[in-house]
Every structure is written in structure tokens, then in C-alpha cells.
Amino acid sequence: MYNLTIIPGDGIGPEVMNAALQVLDCLDIEFSYTEAYAGNGSYKRTGTTIPQETIKQARKADAVLFGAVTTVPGQKSAIITLRKALDLYANIRPVKSYSGVRSLYPDLDLVIIRENTEGLYSGIEEKTDDGATALRVITTKASQRISKFAFEYVKKTERSKVTAVHKANVLKLSDGLFKRIFYEVAEHYPDTEADDKYVDAMAMFLLTKPQEFDCIVTTNLFGDILSDEGAGLVGGLGLAPSANIGYKNGLFEPVHGSGPDIAGKNISNPSAMILSTVMLLRYLHEEEEAYMLENALIEVLKEGKKVTPDLGGNFKTDDMTQEIKRKLKSLK
Ligand code: NAI
Ligand code: MG
């Protein structure tokens, strides 16, 4: 029996969370759930976007499932605070094309590993006389552990190359450090190819020759931007899952936000959340159930009938979820 902390959040967060809980219910694994609050709804109720109780629950769970939150400018970002509080330093964002989904590249399978605790999201901002500054923090410790994580991930998942993405030509000290540490770590992995690219060039290569990349490791903001670009390559944010991994905790969430433009309409694509749930199952070493759930979704996408509008269908979130459950039961 696993205890999962569930943080549905705002907007489409609770809709896609509901889909994830329904498919988890079809598996041969027992879960107990603790629901916790975060986001703008939490702010309105409790005066904070991320109550201490949520952090406490998340810390002691076997794993955390997070929907999405609305971040109102001026309020503390719940997800960034949670990533930092649990030291979830590695953000894994796969970019994978699925058959049946319109994609610029049909056989794409790469992964972006984003440093999750510092960079431009360090949260250190201040007003100046004529504007404001934000501090972009790059440390040896964080650069080392994220590079090591990327090489270990590549080894474990039988990939062959890691590309560091940075802007060391301009940010000589900070990204210069990131790049140097990356190559130092690479020396311990002689069987894995290591190279690097500037982030602006990488943004273009992702569009022109993404097949040449296998695993990208990069700093916080660059990873955030490139992973949305990656999602765009393979069918959109409705299909992009992610894992946030630390030494003691794992938090799984779709890459997308709270989708205010589609919230409440029951048309959000549950795939990103369900693929995040697949990543959660793998984190718990429930490989067989993870495989089955992923395949149920793959089948539904391949058939392309009972899918949500972003995938060209005219079905509701609930219909697509029912179809995934039906496939899952037939695979068992
Ligand atoms: P968004 O990801 O919510 O939406 C971007 C576009 O993608 C919208 O057109 C939306 O309809 C579409 N989309 C997103 N998820 C979808 C799904 N499952 N199915 C179909 N279409 C989907 O990003 P946006 O609009 O920039 O931000 C909205 C709010 O979410 C903001 O308050 C932002 O701060 C927050 N946000 C929260 C994140 C999180 O909780 N981790 C991540 C990104 C944004
Ligand atoms: Mg983002």
C-alpha cells in the first residue's frame, strides 16, 4: 500500500487529477490518498498559496501527484516553493511522439532534464530605482548533481548521449561554471557521449533536427522554455508529463498550467496527467502496471477516436478517461 499526496490545484488541475485517480483505481495496486491544497484556491481560503501542511504531507508521502495551479502575479508560486522545500532538484520532461497524434516528428523520443532549484527561478528579486533585478544563481553543487542525474538517467534508460544547454558565451561566469562542471561529470561516464549547445541554437535545432538529441540537461529557465517547445513538437501541452525528483521525494505533474481558457468545460486532455502517473508508477518500481497504463493510453491515442479537442476529437475529458479505463481493463 502506497500513500500518495494529491494536490489537484486550480482550473483544469482537478479535472485531470480526477482522470488520474480513476485510472489508478483500475490497477492492481493499493493506494491511500491524502488531499492537500495549493494555488490560488488555497490562497483565497487560507491566505497562502502553499500551506505548511501541504509541504508536510508531501514530504511524508511515498509520492506526490500534482495537478496544476494558477499563479497570480505577486503571489508565491506554489509549485516552485514545493520543489525547493522538498529539494526536488531534477525535473524530467520527456518529449515523445505517439502514433495517432499529429506531430512534426513522428518518431521522436528525447528527454529534457532541467535543474529545478536555482537559476533564474531562485526567487531572489528586488526593486531598483528604475526597475527591478532578478538573480540567476548557478552553483557547483546544483550543477554537479543535475549533470550526474542526467548521466545516471541515460545509463538506466539505455540512452546514449547527453547534451548540456547553456549560454556560456555571454554568461561567462555562471553558465561557464555549469558547462565546465558538466564536462567534469561526463568524464566519469566514458560510455555516454557528451556535447553542448547554446540555448538559442538549441531552440532552433529542436525544430530542425530534434532526432539528433537524446537527453538535454540544462538550467531552470532554459529547461522550462525548451520543454514547452518540445511539447509543441509532439502534439502540445496536453501530452507532456513530468517528474520532479529529489533524494527523498518524487512529485509528478503535467507540464501544463491551470488552463484558464478551457477550465470547467470538461475538455482538457488528461494524457499529460496520466503519463505523469505512469512516471510515478515507475518511480515506485511498479514497472508492470506502468507499462500497462501507458499502453492503454497509447492505444486510445492511436485509434484517435475518443479524444479531446486539442487532439482533433470532440470528446470530453471524462469520455477519454473512460476509454483509457476500458483499454486498461482489456489489457489485464
Ligand atoms: P497553460 O499550460 O495553462 O495553457 C497554455 C495553453 O495550453 C492553453 O491554451 C491551454 O488551453 C492549453 N492546455 C494546457 N493544458 C492542456 C490540456 N491538458 N489539454 C488541452 N489543452 C491544454 O499555461 P498558461 O495559460 O500560460 O498559464 C495558465 C496558468 O497556469 C497561469 O496562472 C500560470 O502561472 C499557471 N501555470 C502553472 C503551472 C503549474 O502548475 N505547474 C505551469 C505553467 C503555468
Ligand atoms: Mg512551464
Side-chain angles (χ1 to χ4, degrees), residues 12 16 66-73 79 83 93 224 228 236-239 253-263 267-273 308-310:
I12 62 172
V16 294
F66 186 96
V69 290
T70 299
T71 311
V72 175
I79 185 65
R83 287 171 184 153
R93 296 187 158 188
D224 196 8
D228 272 29
L237 282 171
L239 284 160
E253 51 158 347
V255 170
H256 65 71
S258 61
D261 53 339
I262 55 169
I267 54 165
S268 56
N269 183 347
S271 304
M273 187 78 220
T308 46
D310 59 308

Side-chain angles (χ1 to χ4, degrees), residues 104-179:
L104 286 175
Y105 294 90
D107 294 313
L108 206 56
D109 181 8
L110 63 92
V111 63
I112 297 174
I113 299 201
R114 160 191 180 198
E115 202 292 320
N116 225 6
T117 59
E118 55 175 34
L120 200 57
Y121 294 7
S122 65
I124 309 171
E125 261 194 309
E126 60 180 23
K127 287 201 172 123
T128 60
D129 287 346
D130 189 33
T133 56
L135 202 64
R136 185 168 178 277
V137 179
I138 304 290
T139 65
T140 302
K141 178 185 161 203
S143 304
Q144 256 166 359
R145 66 180 181 176
I146 198 66
S147 293
K148 185 158 184 270
F149 185 94
F151 281 99
E152 288 293 330
Y153 184 86
V154 159
K155 208 159 88 176
K156 203 172 68 192
T157 52
E158 297 177 354
R159 292 178 183 270
S160 58
K161 182 169 100 168
V162 185
T163 303
V165 173
H166 56 81
K167 191 69 183 169
N169 50 342
V170 176
L171 302 165
K172 292 190 178 66
L173 291 180
S174 51
D175 272 17
L177 176 73
F178 181 78
K179 180 180 165 184

Side-chain angles (χ1 to χ4, degrees), residues 16-232:
V16 294
M17 179 65 78
N18 181 267
L21 295 180
Q22 286 193 50
V23 295
L24 280 175
D25 204 38
C26 300
L27 302 178
D28 293 328
I29 308 175
E30 263 192 71
F31 293 101
S32 69
Y33 301 106
T34 309
E35 186 168 340
Y37 302 102
N40 195 37
S42 165
Y43 186 85
K44 286 180 186 156
R45 252 192 321 268
T46 67
T48 168
T49 51
I50 178 90
Q52 277 306 316
E53 183 59 21
T54 297
I55 296 176
K56 196 171 123 198
Q57 292 301 341
R59 198 171 268 140
K60 68 180 192 196
D62 293 311
V64 183
L65 259 186
F66 186 96
V69 290
T70 299
T71 311
V72 175
Q75 289 176 10
K76 192 152 113 179
S77 161
I79 185 65
I80 293 178
T81 307
L82 205 48
R83 287 171 184 153
K84 280 200 192 136
L86 272 58
D87 202 19
L88 303 169
Y89 68 92
N91 190 192
I92 311 173
R93 296 187 158 188
V95 177
K96 189 169 173 190
S97 41
Y98 289 100
S99 146
V101 177
R102 201 159 55 95
S103 161
L104 286 175
Y105 294 90
D107 294 313
L108 206 56
D109 181 8
L110 63 92
V111 63
I112 297 174
I113 299 201
R114 160 191 180 198
E115 202 292 320
N116 225 6
T117 59
E118 55 175 34
L120 200 57
Y121 294 7
S122 65
I124 309 171
E125 261 194 309
E126 60 180 23
K127 287 201 172 123
T128 60
D129 287 346
D130 189 33
T133 56
L135 202 64
R136 185 168 178 277
V137 179
I138 304 290
T139 65
T140 302
K141 178 185 161 203
S143 304
Q144 256 166 359
R145 66 180 181 176
I146 198 66
S147 293
K148 185 158 184 270
F149 185 94
F151 281 99
E152 288 293 330
Y153 184 86
V154 159
K155 208 159 88 176
K156 203 172 68 192
T157 52
E158 297 177 354
R159 292 178 183 270
S160 58
K161 182 169 100 168
V162 185
T163 303
V165 173
H166 56 81
K167 191 69 183 169
N169 50 342
V170 176
L171 302 165
K172 292 190 178 66
L173 291 180
S174 51
D175 272 17
L177 176 73
F178 181 78
K179 180 180 165 184
R180 182 167 57 75
I181 302 267
F182 167 77
Y183 279 114
E184 278 173 20
V185 172
E187 282 180 19
H188 298 279
Y189 298 87
D191 297 335
T192 304
E193 197 186 331
D195 65 2
D196 70 284
K197 291 275 177 277
Y198 294 126
V199 64
D200 39 358
M202 188 68 232
M204 184 192 68
F205 292 145
L206 259 187
L207 292 175
T208 54
K209 49 175 186 178
Q211 318 88 317
E212 290 184 15
F213 300 92
D214 197 7
C215 172
I216 289 167
V217 63
T218 188
T219 53
N220 210 334
L221 173 72
F222 296 163
D224 196 8
I225 297 172
L226 292 178
S227 55
D228 272 29
E229 187 185 348

